[in-house]
Amino acid sequence: MSIAWQYFIVTLLVYYGVNLIAGWALNLQFGIAGVMNFAFIIYQAAGAYTAAVLTLGPVSANGGYQSYIGGLSLPWPLPILIAGVVGALFATLVGLFALLPEKRDFQAVLMLIVSLSVTLVISHQTGWFNGTAGLSAIPKPLGGVLNLGLAGYGWFYVGLTAVVVAAVYGLVHRITSAPWARRLKAMRDNPLAAAALGTDVRKERLIVSALAGGIAAVSGALLVQFISAWAPAGWGYGETFLYFTAIVVGGLGNNAGVALGTAVVYTVILEGVQYLPSLGGVSSLTASLQQAAIGVLVLLFLWLRPQGLIPERRRRLRAQSKVAAAPAIDESASAHSGPGV
Amino acid sequence: LTYRLFSRYYGAPVAPRPRSESFKLLGTRGSRRETPVYPDRGRIRPRALRGAAQPAPVAGRYSSGGTVLVSQIIPAIGFGLVTSSIIALGAVGFTIQYSVSRIFNVAFGAVMTLSAYCAYLVNVHLGVNIWISLVPAALAGAVMSAAIYHGVYARFLARGTSVFTIIMVSLSVSVIVENIIQGLAGPGFLTYQVATQHPFHIGSIVWTPSQVGIMAVAVACMFAIHALLRYTLLGKAMRATAAEPDLAKSCGINCERVRFAGWAISGGLAGIAGVVLAVNNAVLVPTTGADVLLVVVAAAVVGGVGQAYGAMLGALAVGIVSELAAIVTPDLNYVAVFVLMGVILIVRPDGLWSVGALRREAAEL
């Protein structure tokens, strides 16, 4: 294989690993616990920025063309771990504010505005993380030590990603198969009933948000060290919806579904549209139509397979199996009885 | 191939160009810094965009030095009224479609943009006055909005898709519409033909004639909506559908038809809002509508989701708050709007126009 092909495949694989981790984190939060976290992407960004400033070294070392807070050169596993902790703390902070209202659609709107506000502030506070231009030249883990060449290093990073993915899967799988997940699912399907049975809904939501925030931050740290650059344009709130789309297409509430959905949305759809025939060399028209095709494909998936590619297996007691399982995430909407015009 | 892999994500670096205020709302202040614009802003983008080599922002930020001058407050309120007028058109439209169908329609911004481009066609290619172009633009918005509702959302709702998934659906619709616009019109910015203007001075408030026109259009539309909701059968049916769909249905109201009409009306408002927004911004780009969508939503939420009069009040609050905040931090004035919205959601989740209105409504129906 030529180096270019290898690099292409390496990029796809690393991205898939990163999106997989983030998808699992979002699934834990939304698919299992029912927290509509529309600010999800900022936790990933927090992890990425943390990892970046922990590896970039002091500002002056880079010729001072970009400005940022701090600046250390920690060896590899540390930045990603600290990023996870920072992400969890950040998610807790956001959660303390955004999870205040009882209604979940209000929480969602609060999350959305937190996401937008953070993007605006980071873009305009050039002293923090270099503003809109973003950070670049972030060193790669062990990049100076290993002497593997471009493609060789790429495969090394794929291995690194695989290790992190495996670790995250271990954690997520443990959580989703633990009794705690049943409590979270009960809370998702009917928060009132769960609260009546003694679940502190707000506390559980906060804990699961912090966990998911930490995992998302790990995915961000992993990504930023691969692409060695990070800017606000890459984490607009649209990205959050793309993750939601991925887990909805794959099937909410189960890790295999999320893995498949991430593959379909990020790898098949987003990459696949690039191979659509181009239109008479008008590149901007072709690019726009490719983007539109992404929308059409997502619509088709939601129409043809609304329960997701791999639907969640719902546990039922035998005696009650005649009682239809409650529709998953719907109740917050239907419970919201209508004010007048 | 490596180059291709990245170049298609990043695109060629684009030189910063005057976008004067499409991110902000006010086009005439002139002291705002220019923001570089990326042609693919607002689309769903592949992840590789993260940290792309973006053109650096234009150097030299304006700052007011941290002192709030009292003399700046009155003009800011003047600008705020214009901003409020634009937002009010959008927020009332958004809230009407939300109230009749409970759909959080992310594609609302795309409908605004589409209508603004229709107005551009009529205004520049047919040479029609921009204020007359409002009519075809409103029609285009109405048709588009009703078509999206009837063709997509109603079908998804009819098969019981959750309201959450509808957000994904509307995001897809928004991506499709915006990218088709961008594909046909190109990513560049367009400008309406508006006659040269001599600004009015009223005290320390400065308004251009188009800004006065915008406010007049908005006030006229608000009265029209008021008349529609209060004095017509359709308006009554819309209020009934919004308040109690099941009861309305059992009273013989064809809710589906009412929703269709509601979406057409709100699409018309979106169309007008899109055009006046582009007039005020002085530029039209494929993300014009999407850029202000969340401010429009903020106004709707601040006023009380689903309440037309609340949306008007919310728009007034949001417009003035954003302009007052712009005195202090010109770049972060929307953060103030979002903070306002957050506080309202926590302290008074039903919005400013809340419980009393609901009770009155119930008594009246």
Side-chain angles (χ1 to χ4, degrees):
Chain A
M1 265 193 301
S2 71
I3 291 203
W5 266 110
Q6 288 192 37
Y7 198 70
F8 177 72
I9 292 166
V10 161
T11 309
L12 279 189
L13 286 175
V14 172
Y15 269 81
Y16 180 59
V18 167
N19 291 328
L20 198 53
I21 295 171
W24 280 330
L26 187 60
N27 180 50
L28 186 65
Q29 189 165 35
F30 176 67
I32 307 282
V35 179
M36 280 198 219
N37 185 359
F38 285 179
F40 183 72
I41 202 72
I42 64 173
Y43 306 151
Q44 197 179 39
Y49 280 126
T50 310
V53 296
L54 288 180
T55 50
L56 266 170
V59 179
S60 52
N62 288 309
Y65 73 96
Q66 49 186 1
S67 49
Y68 45 84
I69 304 172
L72 297 170
S73 325
L74 298 182
W76 181 65
L78 282 178
I80 200 166
L81 293 176
I82 298 176
V85 174
V86 168
L89 289 177
F90 185 50
T92 315
L93 205 66
V94 172
L96 280 175
F97 164 72
L99 296 176
L100 273 178
E102 279 302 313
K103 281 185 184 161
R104 275 192 289 204
D105 30 6
F106 287 2
Q107 291 172 5
V109 174
L110 279 182
M111 294 280 193
L112 190 56
I113 62 176
V114 167
S115 174
L116 279 162
S117 306
V118 168
T119 312
L120 279 175
V121 170
I122 296 293
S123 304
H124 289 113
Q125 293 293 338
T126 41
W128 293 1
F129 300 110
N130 212 29
T132 320
L135 299 173
S136 51
I138 297 155
K140 303 199 169 203
L142 305 176
V145 184
L146 298 169
N147 201 0
L148 296 171
L150 185 63
Y153 185 80
W155 289 110
F156 166 71
Y157 207 92
V158 170
L160 219 56
T161 311
V163 170
V164 181
V165 166
V168 169
Y169 181 76
L171 177 68
V172 169
H173 181 73
R174 221 187 139 92
I175 294 173
T176 47
S177 49
W180 188 48
R182 283 206 295 280
R183 173 186 291 216
L184 293 180
K185 284 182 180 176
M187 197 176 86
R188 167 195 72 185
D189 291 342
N190 195 338
L192 268 182
L197 291 173
T199 302
D200 185 343
V201 174
R202 209 174 141 233
K203 195 180 98 196
E204 300 289 349
R205 280 179 182 158
L206 210 53
I207 294 172
V208 81
S209 293
L211 258 173
I215 299 174
V218 165
S219 80
L222 199 60
L223 180 60
V224 79
Q225 295 212 307
F226 180 68
I227 59 176
S228 27
W230 194 255
W235 47 280
Y237 67 95
E239 301 283 353
T240 306
F241 288 109
L242 209 50
Y243 275 125
F244 271 105
T245 310
I247 66 173
V248 168
V249 163
L252 283 173
N254 74 86
N255 295 326
V258 170
L260 186 59
T262 314
V264 166
V265 170
Y266 281 97
T267 313
V268 178
I269 296 186
L270 291 189
E271 295 300 320
V273 293
Q274 315 293 340
Y275 299 99
L276 292 177
S278 69
L279 288 162
V282 189
S283 64
S284 73
L285 178 60
T286 311
S288 298
L289 289 184
Q290 284 171 352
Q291 297 288 331
I294 293 174
V296 173
L297 285 172
V298 169
L299 263 189
L300 278 179
F301 265 105
L302 293 177
W303 178 253
L304 297 174
R305 193 84 190 160
Q307 72 278 43
L309 293 169
I310 307 178
E312 181 186 3
R313 267 182 311 174
R314 304 192 68 98
R315 298 166 62 98
R316 292 177 195 184
L317 298 177
R318 210 178 309 136
Q320 295 180 333
S321 61
K322 294 276 160 53
V323 182
I329 313 297
D330 249 348
E331 115 300 330
S332 72
S334 50
H336 183 94
S337 75
V341 176
Chain B
L1 183 71
T2 312
Y3 171 71
R4 231 194 89 220
L5 179 69
F6 286 100
S7 66
R8 68 160 189 261
Y9 286 146
Y10 300 164
V14 185
R17 63 167 173 249
R19 183 197 177 194
S20 56
E21 316 292 327
S22 79
F23 191 65
K24 311 282 168 182
L25 278 166
L26 285 175
T28 49
R29 190 173 314 161
S31 65
R32 287 280 175 72
R33 77 195 182 89
E34 291 174 355
T35 317
V37 68
Y38 313 116
D40 53 356
R41 253 184 66 94
R43 296 191 211 146
I44 294 186
R45 269 165 301 200
R47 309 304 304 291
L49 195 96
R50 303 285 170 84
Q54 304 281 12
V58 180
R61 306 171 58 212
Y62 282 83
S63 84
S64 52
T67 50
V68 182
L69 298 173
V70 179
S71 61
Q72 286 178 297
I73 290 178
I74 305 283
I77 290 176
F79 289 123
L81 288 176
V82 180
T83 312
S84 301
S85 309
I86 299 167
I87 298 173
L89 288 164
V92 171
F94 185 86
T95 218
I96 284 179
Q97 52 183 227
Y98 181 84
S99 70
V100 293
S101 61
R102 309 266 143 217
I103 293 174
F104 189 97
N105 181 20
V106 183
F108 192 78
V111 173
M112 283 169 71
T113 314
L114 181 88
S115 313
Y117 275 90
C118 284
Y120 176 81
L121 285 182
V122 177
N123 173 239
V124 173
H125 291 276
L126 302 180
V128 177
N129 184 298
I130 185 66
W131 301 105
I132 299 171
S133 316
L134 277 176
V135 178
L139 281 177
V143 169
M144 188 66 199
S145 175
I148 291 175
Y149 175 71
H150 187 70
V152 184
Y153 298 142
R155 279 154 214 269
F156 272 98
L157 280 184
R159 56 160 37 190
T161 305
S162 76
V163 170
F164 169 75
T165 309
I166 292 278
I167 298 181
M168 310 281 100
V169 172
S170 78
L171 191 77
S172 306
V173 170
S174 161
V175 167
I176 295 168
V177 174
E178 261 172 34
N179 280 292
I180 288 177
I181 294 172
Q182 181 164 329
L184 295 179
F189 70 95
L190 305 173
T191 314
Y192 290 140
Q193 284 177 354
V194 183
T196 2
Q197 300 181 326
H198 301 286
F200 294 116
H201 292 263
I202 303 166
S204 54
I205 294 178
V206 184
W207 280 324
T208 62
S210 5
Q211 289 180 323
V212 176
I214 288 167
M215 287 187 284
V217 167
V219 169
C221 287
M222 293 306 113
F223 274 110
I225 292 295
H226 169 72
L228 172 82
L229 290 177
R230 282 293 132 187
Y231 304 117
T232 67
L233 211 54
L234 174 65
K236 201 168 185 178
M238 277 165 62
R239 285 187 290 147
T241 307
E244 280 293 342
D246 294 335
L247 193 58
K249 210 178 268 173
S250 60
C251 292
I253 294 172
N254 184 343
C255 286
E256 215 31 61
R257 196 181 288 169
V258 170
R259 292 197 182 109
F260 187 78
W263 274 70
I265 291 165
S266 68
L269 286 172
I272 297 172
V275 178
V276 294
L277 177 63
V279 167
N280 198 38
N281 284 348
V283 288
L284 178 55
V285 289
T287 58
T288 292
D291 285 342
V292 298
L293 175 70
L294 281 149
V295 182
V296 165
V297 172
V301 169
V302 166
V305 194
Q307 315 230 15
Y309 299 105
M312 296 176 198
L313 190 66
L316 196 64
V318 162
I320 289 177
V321 163
S322 82
E323 293 310 323
L324 287 179
I327 300 175
V328 189
T329 56
D331 295 321
L332 298 178
N333 60 338
Y334 283 177
V335 175
V337 171
F338 295 139
V339 168
L340 171 73
M341 178 178 169
V343 169
I344 293 281
L345 270 181
I346 289 169
V347 177
R348 198 161 174 174
D350 292 320
L352 293 177
W353 191 274
S354 60
V355 191
L358 274 178
R359 206 169 292 144
R360 247 176 287 134
E361 183 85 9
E364 204 174 299
L365 287 170

